[in-house]
Amino acid sequence: MRAFRPALLSGTALILAAATSSLAQTAPTLSKGVLKIAVEGTYAPFTFKDKKGVLTGFDVDVARALAAKLGLKPEFVLTEWSGILAGLQAGKYDVIINQVGITAERQKSIGFSDPYVFSRPQIAVHTSKGQNYNTLADLKGKRVGVGLGTVFEKDLRDAGGITVVTYPGTPEYLADLSSGRLDAIYNDRLLIGYLAKSQGLPIKGVGDAGSVDSMGIAMKKTNTGLKTAVDAALKGMKADGTMAKIGQQWFGQDVSKP
């Protein structure tokens, strides 16, 4: 058996060990060795169930790797997107790992880790359509599907003149786009590219209509000990290649870099 020698720990490991010890004293759930993680479960390829009903996805892999780095057991809580932030504030789980965009408005009431994914929104249409919507202005007068309560919904409403049709989850508006009930959808380019390729859906991305977004792990703003530990763990996952490996598996690229 090898002797434990603190002096040999790396700087990141020391920070992580200290932060984990600190948060265990301030967060009852974590002191039991469990990290409760909220995910949508219907947002492929980030969080979804495979054909056998097993929860999987990019964010699920990130969550499991993060929990392992923290020395905690991951416990997933499936929650509809429309209520996921409220559930965090109510203490139903410790973190949300489900592509939560870091926005100035959300930061007023919610804490975030350092960014772990960078992407941008994209417009998508049915493959049979010839329209090339390059900007949100091109969608004026059109029926556009989007997830309820997402930053994408806010973008569409702020643009004005668009008939915004909201849905509780991705499968519903993908079905409506495929059947011709929508002119377009607006979502993350990584998701659109993955679905078009992996599921053979009749959709295609036609325009990167927004600026680069950064995604963070959401937590209670007051839980500073957890933020310190999570940031240290994410830093370690980037340094040891874990984030790059997960990104390559799902998207063929390291999405943890801008």
Side-chain angles (χ1 to χ4, degrees):
M1 181 181 292
R2 295 182 180 179
F4 175 65
R5 298 184 180 181
L8 297 180
L9 286 174
S10 67
T12 298
L14 284 170
I15 293 172
L16 180 58
T20 304
S21 176
S22 173
L23 66 89
Q25 298 173 22
T26 60
T29 301
L30 296 176
S31 68
K32 297 177 183 178
V34 174
L35 183 67
K36 286 189 176 181
I37 305 160
V39 296
E40 197 173 352
T42 58
Y43 193 47
F46 300 105
T47 68
F48 67 104
K49 290 185 177 181
D50 63 18
K51 294 180 180 179
K52 295 182 179 179
V54 177
L55 186 66
T56 188
F58 170 84
D59 276 331
V60 174
D61 286 349
V62 169
R64 289 190 172 120
L66 176 71
K69 205 78 167 176
L70 292 170
L72 300 170
K73 178 182 178 182
E75 181 179 309
F76 293 97
V77 182
L78 296 182
T79 307
E80 281 194 359
W81 176 261
S82 58
I84 205 166
L85 297 178
L88 177 68
Q89 299 291 40
K92 294 182 179 179
Y93 26 81
D94 304 303
V95 296
I96 305 171
I97 306 182
N98 199 100
Q99 294 300 290
V100 185
I102 302 173
T103 67
E105 185 63 29
R106 285 175 178 163
Q107 285 178 307
K108 292 177 183 178
S109 58
I110 297 170
F112 282 97
S113 69
D114 292 337
Y116 72 102
V117 171
F118 294 89
S119 189
R120 67 188 306 156
Q122 186 176 54
I123 300 166
V125 298
H126 194 284
T127 52
S128 65
K129 302 295 182 182
Q131 293 96 333
N132 190 18
Y133 304 128
N134 292 310
T135 68
L136 294 185
D138 297 330
L139 296 175
K140 291 185 184 296
K142 306 299 182 182
R143 285 175 56 84
V144 183
V146 70
L148 178 65
T150 63
V151 292
F152 307 120
E153 179 191 358
K154 185 178 185 302
D155 287 347
L156 293 177
R157 295 195 186 282
D158 288 348
I162 301 169
T163 300
V164 181
V165 186
T166 60
Y167 297 82
T170 309
E172 292 87 352
Y173 59 82
L174 286 174
D176 277 1
L177 178 65
S178 298
S179 64
R181 287 189 287 269
L182 293 171
D183 295 303
I185 60 172
Y186 188 57
N187 209 309
D188 182 271
R189 72 173 180 85
L190 295 175
L191 175 141
I192 290 171
Y194 172 85
L195 292 177
K197 181 179 180 179
S198 67
Q199 298 187 20
L201 295 176
I203 63 173
K204 61 180 179 181
V206 293
D208 290 330
S211 58
V212 174
D213 292 325
S214 57
M215 314 300 167
I217 295 172
M219 63 198 78
K220 280 191 173 182
K221 198 174 182 70
T222 55
N223 204 340
T224 55
L226 178 57
K227 173 176 168 53
T228 299
V230 168
D231 283 345
L234 287 175
K235 184 178 180 180
M237 290 164 63
K238 291 178 181 180
D240 67 15
T242 298
M243 287 301 303
K245 181 179 180 180
I246 297 173
Q248 285 289 341
Q249 175 187 342
W250 289 99
F251 306 110
Q253 60 182 295
D254 182 359
V255 296
S256 68
K257 298 178 180 179

